[in-house]
C-alpha cells in the first residue's frame, strides 16, 4: 500500500483524542485532523482523575469525536485504511473503551488494527516534524505518570537510562500546585504563576544531581515547597515566587540529567515529549543546553506534548508500515506495559 490513512484513538487517562494521519503526506500536513476532548472539568472537583468517571466519559465522547475528526479531515469512514489505539499503559476501563471502539471499527471495515504503547506514542510525537531527527537519540519523557530518559538506537528499540524513583515530573507539578491551593491539574497553572515570580527568592534543591546517575526523585521537592509555603505570608506574590523556585528546580534537574544522558549514550540529539514538554522554561533551557553542545533538541508543538490521538495514529502508522498489527481480534489492553519489551520497527 502506498499511502495509508490511519485513524488514531487515545483514551488511556482523562483525555479522549482522535486523529487521522495520512502516510502519503509529509511533516505536519500528514496530520489531516486531530481533536482532543479533555475531562479536566469533570475530575477537578475530586482533585484528581476518578477512573470510573473517566471510562464513562470516554464512552460518551469517542464516537462524536471520531465523526468530528473525519469531517475535518474530509474523508468518509470507509476511507480509513487502519485503526490505531492506545493499548496501554493506563487506566484499564478507559483503555477498554478506546480498544473496544477501535477493534470493532477495524473489524467492521475489514482493516488492520494496532494497539499502541502510550509512551511510545509520546516518544515518537516529535518525529511528526517537517525535518524529523534520525536515531540514535535520547528521549526525555516527562508526563503526569512517567519521567524517563530513554536511549533510542532505532525506532521501536528503547533502552531505559534512568527514571523517577517516586513522583513523575508532571505529578510533582500537580501536587505542588495543589498544596498551594491551585485546582487540579495544577501543572500548567503553576507554570503560568511562575512567570510572575522573582527568580532566586526561593531556592529549592536539584534532587539527585550531586551524585552520578540518571534517575530522578521529585517527592522531596514537594515537602520543601510545603514547608516554605506554610512559613510564608501566603500572598499572591509569594505564591508566584515559590512557583518560580519550584519550576527552576525541576527544570534545572531535568536539564542536568539530559546532558548526562546524552554523554552516556554518546549522541547529541535530544527529543522531548509528554505533558511537561509543553513547559516554556524547560523548552528554553534545553534549547540552550543543546546549542552549547552543538547538538539538537526537538519538541512536538505544545498541543501534541499532552495526550492526543495524533501521536497514536503516527506511532501506529510506523508500525503498520513495518507490517506489524494485531493478528487476532480480541479487545485486549495492557494497563502495565514496559516499553523495553516492544519489538523494533
Ligand atoms: O502527557 P500528559 O498529557 O498525560 C500523561 O500521560 O500523564 O501529561 C500531563 C502532565 C500533567 O501532570 C500536567 O500538569 C503536566 O503534564 N503539564 C505541565 C505543563 N503542561 C502540562 N507541567 C508543567 N508545565 C506545563 N506547561
Ligand atoms: Zn500521556
Amino acid at each position: 500500500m502506498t499511502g495509508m490513512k490511519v485513524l488514531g484513538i487515545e483514551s488511556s487517562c482523562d483525555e479522549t483524542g482522535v486523529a487521522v494521519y495520512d502516510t502519503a503526506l509529509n511533516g505536519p500536513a500528514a496530520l489531516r485532523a486531530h481533536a482532543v476532548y479533555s475531562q479536566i472539568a469533570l475530575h477537578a472537583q475530586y482533585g484528581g482523575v476518578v477512573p470510573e468517571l473517566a471510562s464513562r466519559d470516554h464512552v460518551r465522547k469517542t464516537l462524536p469525536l471520531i465523526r468530528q475528526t473525519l469531517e475535518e479531515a474530509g474523508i468518509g469512514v470507509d476511507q480509513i485504511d487502519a485503526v490505531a489505539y492506545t493499548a496501554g499503559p493506563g487506566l484499564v476501563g478507559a483503555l477498554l473503551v478506546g480498544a473496544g471502539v477501535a477493534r470493532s471499527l477495524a473489524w467492521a471495515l475489514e482493516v488492520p488494527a494496532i494497539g499502541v504503547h502510550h509512551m511510545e506514542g509520546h516518544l515518537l510525537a516529535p518525529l511528526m516534524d517537517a525535518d524529523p531527527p534520525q536515531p540514535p537519540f535520547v528521549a526525555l519523557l516527562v508526563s503526569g505518570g512517567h519521567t524517563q530518559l530513554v536511549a533510542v538506537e532505532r525506532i521501536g528499540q528503547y533502552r531505559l537510562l534512568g527514571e523517577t524513583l517516586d513522583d513523575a515530573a508532571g505529578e510533582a507539578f500537580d501536587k505542588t500546585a495543589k498544596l498551594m491551593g491551585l485546582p487540579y491539574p495544577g501543572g500548567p497553572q503553576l507554570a503560568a504563576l511562575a512567570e510572575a515570580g522573582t527568580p532566586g527568592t526561593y531556592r529549592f534543591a536539584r534532587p539527585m544531581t550531586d551524585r552520578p546517575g540518571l534517575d530522578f526523585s521529585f517527592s522531596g521537592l514537594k515537602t520543601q515547597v510545603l514547608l516554605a509555603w506554610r512559613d510564608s505570608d501566603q500572598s499572591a506574590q509569594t505564591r508566584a515566587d515559590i512557583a518560580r523556585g519550584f519550576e527552576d528546580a525541576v527544570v534545572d534537574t531535568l536539564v542536568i540529567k539530559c546532558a548526562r544522558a546524552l554523554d552516556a549514550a554518546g549522541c547529541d540529539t535530544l527529543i522531548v515529549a509528554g505533558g511537561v514538554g509543553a513547559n516554556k522554561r524547560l523548552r528554553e533551557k534545553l534549547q540552550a543546553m543543546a546549542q552549547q553542545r552543538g547538538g539538537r533538541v526537538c519538541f512536538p508543538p505544545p498541543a501534541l506534548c499532552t495526550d492526543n490521538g495524533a501521536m497514536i495514529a503516527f506511532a501506529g502508522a510506523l508500525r503498520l508500515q513495518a507490517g506489524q498489527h494485531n493478528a487476532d481480534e480480541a479487545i485486549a489492553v495492557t494497563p502495565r506495559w514496559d516499553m523495553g519489551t516492544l519489538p523494533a520497527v
Side-chain angles (χ1 to χ4, degrees), residues 10 12-15 40 89 118-119 122 142-146 168-175 177 184-192 246-247 250-251 273-283 302-308 311:
E10 154 65 31
S12 67
C13 190
D14 58 349
E15 258 108 27
I40 281 174
H118 180 81
M119 297 311 294
H122 274 302
V142 272
S143 69
H146 293 79
E171 189 180 2
F173 263 93
D174 295 339
K175 286 180 175 172
Y184 164 86
Q189 294 185 56
L190 193 78
F246 169 82
E247 186 182 58
V250 173
V251 167
V276 184
N279 185 274
K280 202 172 132 242
R281 214 171 313 280
L282 178 66
R283 295 168 85 99
L304 300 184
C305 283
T306 45
D307 288 346
N308 64 83
M311 67 187 197

Side-chain angles (χ1 to χ4, degrees), residues 94-341:
L95 290 167
L96 278 167
V97 176
V101 172
R103 286 308 196 110
S104 307
L105 193 57
W107 180 76
L109 295 171
E110 297 183 15
V111 298
I114 178 142
V116 171
H117 191 292
H118 180 81
M119 297 311 294
E120 178 176 55
H122 274 302
L123 190 153
L124 297 177
L127 306 192
M128 282 187 268
D129 198 83
D131 172 26
Q134 302 295 326
F137 45 67
V138 168
L140 170 69
L141 301 177
V142 272
S143 69
H146 293 79
T147 302
Q148 296 183 328
L149 279 163
V150 178
V152 183
E153 298 292 337
R154 47 188 292 203
I155 306 298
Q157 234 162 43
Y158 306 119
R159 184 163 55 89
L160 186 66
L161 298 171
E163 65 183 332
T164 184
L165 305 177
D166 40 58
D167 292 349
E171 189 180 2
F173 263 93
D174 295 339
K175 286 180 175 172
T176 301
K178 188 174 182 176
L179 70 84
M180 290 201 292
L182 299 176
Y184 164 86
Q189 294 185 56
L190 193 78
L193 256 186
E195 292 299 306
T198 311
T201 311
Y202 284 88
R203 193 187 153 83
F204 302 111
R206 277 61 176 152
M208 295 180 72
T209 55
D210 58 348
R211 66 202 97 152
L214 295 168
D215 287 333
F216 303 90
S217 167
F218 290 114
S219 73
L221 262 180
K222 202 173 52 203
T223 315
Q224 287 183 41
V225 170
L226 178 65
L227 296 176
W229 176 242
R230 212 184 52 189
D231 296 341
S232 77
D233 61 2
Q234 306 202 346
S235 66
Q237 186 57 45
T238 298
R239 180 151 51 184
D241 291 342
I242 292 179
R244 180 62 197 254
F246 169 82
E247 186 182 58
D248 281 341
V250 173
V251 167
D252 283 354
T253 304
L254 292 172
V255 173
I256 291 168
K257 298 277 167 142
C258 282
R260 258 188 221 173
L262 290 171
D263 289 339
C267 65
D268 273 310
T269 305
L270 178 73
I271 67 170
V272 183
V276 184
N279 185 274
K280 202 172 132 242
R281 214 171 313 280
L282 178 66
R283 295 168 85 99
E284 285 167 3
K285 287 209 172 174
L286 284 175
Q287 203 86 55
M289 184 271 286
Q291 212 155 23
Q292 213 172 22
R293 300 172 63 101
R296 179 178 177 198
V297 58
C298 306
F299 307 90
L304 300 184
C305 283
T306 45
D307 288 346
N308 64 83
M311 67 187 197
I312 301 305
F314 178 66
L318 288 184
R319 290 198 172 273
L320 286 159
Q321 281 177 315
Q324 301 176 10
H325 60 90
N326 297 96
D328 65 54
E329 284 154 359
I331 296 172
V333 296
T334 314
R336 293 178 71 88
W337 191 1
D338 175 4
M339 207 168 56
T341 61

Side-chain angles (χ1 to χ4, degrees), residues 49-70:
V49 178
V50 183
E52 181 60 24
L53 295 183
S55 310
R56 293 183 199 183
D57 217 37
H58 286 303
V59 169
R60 280 189 285 269
K61 292 300 181 323
T62 307
L63 288 177
L65 264 187
I66 290 176
R67 262 187 220 112
Q68 178 190 329
T69 308
L70 289 176

